[in-house]
Amino acid sequence: MALNIIVCIKQVPDPEHFDKISIDTRTGSIQREGILSITNPLDRNAIEEALRKKEEFGGTVTVLTMGPPQAKKSIEDALAMGADKGVILCDMAFAGADTLSTARVLSVGIRSLGDFDLIFCGNETVDGATGHVAAQLAEFLDIPHVTFARRINIVDEETAMVERSIENGYLKVEVKLPAVISVLKSINKYRLPTVMGIMEAAGKEIVELGCSVCESAGITEGEIGIRGSPTKVLEIFEPPQRREVEMIEGKPEEIARRIVKRLHELEAL
Amino acid sequence: MKDVMVWVEQRDNRLMDVSLEMLQKATELAAVLKENVSAVLIGNECKDLADELILYGASKVFLIEDSRLQLYQSGPYVRITADIISEVSPEIVLIGGTSIGMDIASRVAATLRTGLTSHCVDLYIEKIEGKDQLVHIVPGWKGNMMLKIICPEHRPQMATVRPGVMEKGEPDHSLRGEIVSINPDIRDGDFKAKTLEMVHEEVEGISLDDADIIVSGGYGLYSAGGFKLIEELADAINGEVAGTRPAFDQGWIPENRMIGQSGKMVRPRLFVSIGASGAMHYTTGFSKANVIVGIDRNPKAAIFNVSDLGVVGDLEKIVPCLIEELKK
Ligand SMILES: Cc1cc2nc3c(=O)[nH]c(=O)nc-3n(C[C@H](O)[C@H](O)[C@H](O)COP(=O)(O)OP(=O)(O)OC[C@H]3O[C@@H](n4cnc5c(N)ncnc54)[C@H](O)[C@@H]3O)c2cc1C
Ligand SMILES: Nc1ncnc2c1ncn2[C@@H]1O[C@H](COP(=O)(O)O)[C@@H](O)[C@H]1O
């Protein structure tokens, strides 16, 4: 049995640098200068899971992203972890996509790649955190999906058993392949690229796909990017201060005494 | 009809609280739009739950019962829900943002090719270019930014809201409504992803939902080598331990103790936040606490915008004194 696995990955701003991001409240645009980008952490767990399944059953791992040209860096990192092939869907026409339009474009890219057994995604991204894309991608591909996966066992060529987390427990789900599965952090500990991996990655193929892949699939410009996105961001704002804060100053012992006193007065203790 | 519809979630034949919270919000939105509230309930032998939904404001409940639908089955649940929405054409569909609610919402929105937002902290109606729109307020990815999102052209407008963000109403026994039983047309092909079993797992300690006092730590505990100080303070003050996402990432707290948009929403009597900068994603998790104390060494930390009492200083100096003082 050999498994063809596709992993959807997204490049995101590094959460460590979120404080450095500012918004121009007049134009509503985001200042991202100096902000490093990383591969969405959960997507690395998705890559790891794919690599482990490949190690167990054989097959290929293809990583796919839709993003700006610099998102190629995330593909290269995945190749250095051990993925076999990379695909980047990159076109100005894809810009400004919400999750529906992202899922649509990803589905078109995936269809153009031929047969596959599994698609892995992260359960959510750190910048969008919507957790929509996996299930929506499955809808466009007309295949089943499982989200919140914390364990995946491949039973045979047609079946996987998934432990799918819910609040205070999990569901045991039997899913027919091909399927889209999105993974949680607890599913594995992802590996870091090795020097050998980085060297080997240089020889691996990265395919670039543009808008024409949509045209040949009969998808119009009105269905992709910002125009194909039902949701619109009207405004970005910083909400005003919500409580009047009383600052407590002094030496640590004094502060401690005064806090406890104030908490008693406020009937919080 | 231009209903405000709620997709209701049951587990083990009990309504999830978040669904009642959504019904309350739906009732408010419907009042502005002068429309009705409807609900979709899928399960097995759960008519009594449908009756309950009426007391919480649903004037019509679409009830789908089948022994194969006892547990969440994404295939048929999605198709049945999407079919009802297509038939009824509601203006708005609200779904409680549990791990299951998130799953069904995403796929239903894609089936209907409409817009969906998640983790909303506020929802209201605003007239924009002459048309009543549902405004979705969601925290953006940077700590203190909020996004105002609408779905101008597509219907229904769909949103999920995390448990505990909105308040549920009181049951009103004078309310009357209609229960519309629908015979599901279930096909074998619907169960390509088949839930075989629901397994419950025990959670340790008192649930944060019931805690009166919560002591929560952030990444600022790094130099102190972890959560020992937080645990000691929690002991001294008789509170429960919680933390930020980085605290969870560091392995200092289990996931069910993480506060915020992607974690728990709590409303204790007292919330003490230590060494956490106060990102919106985190602070929305406890904004309804009675009293909030913020301790951070950075005087500009956003935590002070949401605190009642604030202390600027080194937690390694202040927390031990606080523990001493409480022990007196
Ligand atoms: C979509 C999305 C969803 C998210 N959901 C959540 C969520 O649900 N919950 C959550 O918590 N986060 C969430 N986050 C992350 C969130 O944006 C912040 O990054 C996170 O809350 C910051 O955690 P922190 O305050 O512990 O760390 P930091 O921001 O690093 O803050 C550490 C603080 O400790 C202080 N400090 C350091 N040393 C000391 C010392 N010795 N004494 C006193 N103070 C000290 C520093 O001044 C600083 O203010 C989410 C992010 C995104 C993008
Ligand atoms: N632009 C993208 N390119 C490739 N995969 C994506 C993209 N956006 C989202 N995904 C995948 O979908 C998952 C969930 O994303 P989201 O719904 O945005 O939280 C991510 O973890 C990725 O696996």
Side-chain angles (χ1 to χ4, degrees), chain A residues 4 47 49 75 189 197 211 223 254:
Chain A
N4 282 326
I47 299 168
E49 197 59 20
I75 296 283
K189 279 216 155 35
C211 195
E223 291 174 278
E254 232 171 286

Side-chain angles (χ1 to χ4, degrees), chain A residues 8-10 40 43 65-66 106 121-122 124-125 130-133:
Chain A
C8 295
I9 66 174
K10 185 182 183 193
N40 182 45
D43 299 355
T65 191
M66 179 188 90
L106 291 176
C121 291
E124 60 175 34
T125 46
T130 60
H132 299 165
V133 168

Side-chain angles (χ1 to χ4, degrees), chain A residues 202-265:
Chain A
K204 292 177 182 171
E205 183 192 11
I206 300 181
V207 178
E208 291 181 32
L209 297 174
C211 195
S212 61
V213 66
C214 289
E215 280 155 29
S216 26
I219 305 280
T220 63
E221 286 222 7
E223 291 174 278
I224 58 179
I226 197 162
R227 285 172 60 202
S229 300
T231 57
K232 308 274 178 242
V233 177
L234 279 193
E235 201 183 306
I236 303 177
F237 62 99
E238 286 193 38
Q241 182 156 335
R242 278 173 292 165
R243 293 193 188 207
E244 203 56 63
V245 64
E246 170 186 337
M247 297 308 286
I248 314 259
E249 287 157 13
K251 292 211 177 69
E253 298 77 20
E254 232 171 286
I255 290 175
R257 214 173 337 110
R258 290 179 50 204
I259 290 188
V260 174
K261 179 162 169 277
R262 286 297 287 130
L263 288 180
H264 280 298
E265 286 165 6

Side-chain angles (χ1 to χ4, degrees), chain A residues 15-16 18-19 124-130, chain B residues 119 139-143 217-224 243-247 252 258-264 274-284 295-299 301-303 313-317:
Chain A
E16 298 274 321
F18 280 4
D19 330 345
E124 60 175 34
T125 46
V126 294
D127 62 342
T130 60
Chain B
H119 304 300
W141 42 271
K142 185 207 167 212
Y219 193 67
L221 271 298
Y222 190 84
S223 54
T244 63
R245 175 135 102 186
W252 298 333
M258 179 175 99
I259 302 291
Q261 171 191 320
S262 16
K264 293 290 281 185
I274 300 172
S277 54
M280 191 80 62
H281 306 105
Y282 166 62
T283 59
T284 45
I295 303 178
D296 198 285
R297 73 172 171 206
N298 175 5
I303 189 67
D314 183 352
L315 65 91
E316 288 182 73
K317 298 216 174 76

